Amino acid sequence: MNSRRTKSVFAAVSALAVLALGATACASSDKASTGTGSPNASAANPGGGEKIKVVASTDVWGSVVTAVGGDKVEVTSIIHDPSADPHSYETTASDAIAAKNAKLTLSNGGGYDDFFSKLADQATDAQKLVAVDIAATGNENEHVWYSLPGVEKIADQVAAKLGEIQPASKDAFTANATAFKGKTQELLKKVSGLGSNAKVVATEPVAHYLLDSAKVTDATPPAFAEAVEAEQDVPAAALNAVKQLISGKQVKALVNNAQTTTPVTQQIVGDAKNAGIAVVDVTETLPQGVTDYIAWMTKEVDALAGALK
């Protein structure tokens, strides 16, 4: 599933690159203030010692690190813009500076954020974690941030690595991870069996793991999903099958990746609204103004629950 998106991201990437030309070594602290890290890169750790510098490929994983590390970490999330695309992102000078100074890196893996591998190579002194490898879902779907059990494993590994880097704070990291997992467990209870054998269609299999936890059947023709992800023309038969599922109200909802917009997905969303089928928007990075993983997932679960009523 090493897809590339068709949304208009190049303007956003170019803007980042222009800003990077004037960046100094303080650029990494600017990024840390975008929502997933400490706004003050030079602040001392209240518990003693320097804050642990962490670089995450996206703000989703940056928010998980922040939840576990608390005020003892300084997190830089390379992608923190809802319009940016990890599949086509081009790194900047400030990204390289952040990576060079990192003591821990966390990427998604699975072909989702290949740009990060070069940055990780520059983090010569860093512990390196890859979410897909840790989650070990046994599925080729790389969108593992929607796997709540997988994210729990990742939180534990983050706590363990941070504890190795700063042994004096090991207990605090463990406690933070435990608290974080308590919240994910509440979400799992809320979403478990939510579907009651309900069927949905999806523009892309981004929320696969969440639907699986809810026991929701994804009735999307594979040819449709594969074509959208690969930026290929959707076969007429697959498109017609989706349209019939919607017009015939054979599904409870359309799960739409709001960060991928094509003429076909726009058409399908319009069809669903016209048919009175609920549209559940999901995203691949934190929505604008959201910095907390649990708050984000709670909204996603609530939206799905409302659509399946």
Side-chain angles (χ1 to χ4, degrees):
M1 295 193 214
N2 301 335
S3 63
R4 285 185 173 270
R5 306 296 192 263
T6 58
K7 57 182 185 284
S8 299
V9 300
F10 299 104
V13 172
S14 297
L16 284 172
V18 170
L19 290 173
L21 291 176
T24 66
C26 294
S28 60
S29 65
D30 293 334
K31 281 195 172 186
S33 66
T34 58
T36 59
S38 166
N40 186 352
S42 62
N45 177 359
E50 293 292 328
K51 290 191 175 187
I52 302 172
K53 291 181 171 62
V54 183
V55 175
S57 62
T58 73
D59 56 7
V60 172
W61 297 121
S63 68
V64 173
V65 174
T66 299
V68 175
D71 58 12
K72 302 181 186 303
V73 295
E74 175 194 316
V75 183
T76 298
S77 295
I78 300 302
I79 292 182
H80 49 76
D81 182 346
S83 67
D85 179 8
H87 292 276
S88 58
Y89 183 77
E90 295 180 11
T91 58
T92 68
S94 57
D95 296 338
I97 292 171
K100 183 178 180 180
N101 294 326
K103 295 302 180 184
L104 175 68
T105 68
L106 174 57
S107 61
N108 190 82
Y112 182 75
D113 47 9
D114 286 340
F115 76 88
F116 198 78
S117 60
K118 293 181 181 179
L119 290 178
D121 288 343
Q122 298 178 57
T124 54
D125 296 330
Q127 300 272 15
K128 298 168 186 177
L129 298 176
V130 179
V132 167
D133 295 342
I134 299 168
T137 61
N139 190 296
E140 292 183 357
N141 190 304
E142 73 267 31
H143 307 105
V144 291
W145 58 89
Y146 275 108
S147 169
L148 294 170
V151 172
E152 290 179 349
K153 295 178 184 178
I154 293 159
D156 278 338
Q157 282 298 305
V158 169
K161 293 302 181 182
L162 290 176
E164 291 178 15
I165 297 168
Q166 193 176 97
S169 302
K170 180 178 179 179
D171 290 345
F173 298 139
T174 299
N176 289 344
T178 299
F180 177 83
K181 291 187 297 178
K183 295 175 182 178
T184 58
Q185 281 296 310
E186 291 177 6
L187 281 173
L188 271 172
K189 290 178 182 178
K190 189 173 184 178
V191 76
S192 181
L194 189 64
S196 298
N197 299 317
K199 292 182 180 180
V200 302
V201 288
T203 57
E204 287 187 84
V206 172
H208 165 80
Y209 295 108
L210 188 62
L211 296 177
D212 188 56
S213 293
K215 305 302 179 186
V216 172
T217 299
D218 186 348
T220 311
F224 180 92
E226 290 168 5
V228 172
E229 278 209 303
E231 290 188 9
Q232 298 174 351
D233 291 337
V234 177
L239 178 57
N240 288 335
V242 171
K243 292 173 74 68
Q244 288 176 13
L245 286 169
I246 291 173
S247 63
K249 296 189 176 182
Q250 299 175 50
V251 293
K252 293 284 288 185
L254 167 65
V255 181
N256 175 52
N257 180 4
Q259 286 181 240
T260 298
T261 300
T262 71
V264 169
T265 61
Q266 288 179 319
Q267 179 183 3
I268 294 301
V269 169
D271 288 347
K273 291 180 178 179
N274 290 336
I277 299 295
V279 176
V280 180
D281 285 334
V282 296
T283 58
E284 301 181 47
T285 55
L286 297 181
Q288 193 70 41
V290 177
T291 60
D292 180 81
Y293 175 85
I294 297 298
W296 176 43
M297 280 295 110
T298 298
K299 290 182 178 180
E300 300 281 44
V301 170
D302 287 346
L304 181 61
L308 296 177
K309 286 183 178 178

